[in-house]
């Protein structure tokens, strides 16, 4: 593998790296799951992964994500449990997914300070 330029777009370079090395990682190393930051979460990258399992954070810049988070966490913001979560079915880039919306009191307090 080659080191990536610090000036390259994470979303594009990440997809190119996955496409170049996914078969090698799956067959040669036995990779069975990809866990990545939100750079993985583009429609093209998810489509390229096909049915290969992955876990990523959904960027709040994806249309409707912030509204969805507020809708499902409204009760949590009022009752302020220490932590809570809910699972939702979603589709992005033509790929069916399961999203977890996670709430923690400490994250809420940090957001309020900002």
């Amino acid at each position: 593998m080659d080191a990536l330029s610090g000036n390259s777009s994470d979303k594009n370079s990440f997809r190119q790296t996955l496409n170049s090395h996914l078969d090698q990682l799956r067959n040669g190393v036995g990779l069975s799951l990809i866990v990545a930051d939100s750079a993985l979460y583009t429609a093209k990258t998810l489509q390229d992964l096909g049915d290969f399992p992955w876990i990523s954070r959904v960027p709040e810049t994806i249309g409707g994500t912030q509204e969805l988070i507020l809708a499902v966490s409204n009760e949590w913001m009022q009752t302020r449990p220490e932590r809570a979560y809910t699972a939702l079915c979603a589709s992005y880039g033509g790929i069916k997914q399961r999203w977890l919306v996670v709430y923690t009191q400490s994250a809420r307090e940090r957001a309020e300070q900002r």
Side-chain angles (χ1 to χ4, degrees):
M1 291 189 178
D2 295 326
L4 299 174
S5 167
N7 296 322
S8 64
S9 163
D10 284 348
K11 291 179 181 181
N12 291 328
S13 59
F14 193 77
R15 185 175 68 252
Q16 291 168 351
T17 300
L18 275 176
N19 287 338
S20 297
H21 301 288
L22 186 59
D23 284 337
Q24 177 186 4
L25 292 169
R26 186 181 344 195
N27 299 324
V29 182
L31 183 72
S32 60
L33 172 73
I34 293 174
V35 178
D37 66 10
S38 62
L40 171 95
Y41 202 86
T42 68
K44 288 183 179 180
T45 303
L46 299 181
Q47 292 164 357
D48 288 352
L49 285 171
D51 62 353
F52 195 81
W54 54 270
I55 297 173
S56 177
R57 185 181 66 79
V58 176
E60 291 182 31
T61 56
I62 299 296
T65 304
Q66 289 181 350
E67 293 82 4
L68 176 67
I69 291 169
L70 289 174
V72 300
S73 64
N74 190 34
E75 179 184 336
W76 300 333
M77 287 188 263
Q78 293 173 12
T79 61
R80 297 183 181 258
E82 184 62 32
R83 53 182 85 79
Y85 73 92
T86 190
L88 305 166
C89 293
S91 180
Y92 178 72
I95 307 296
K96 292 181 182 179
Q97 303 162 28
R98 181 175 61 139
W99 289 6
L100 294 178
V101 178
V102 178
Y103 171 92
T104 65
Q105 180 64 27
S106 59
R108 178 68 188 163
E109 290 170 0
R110 284 192 306 273
E112 287 174 349
Q113 289 177 354
R114 284 187 251 136

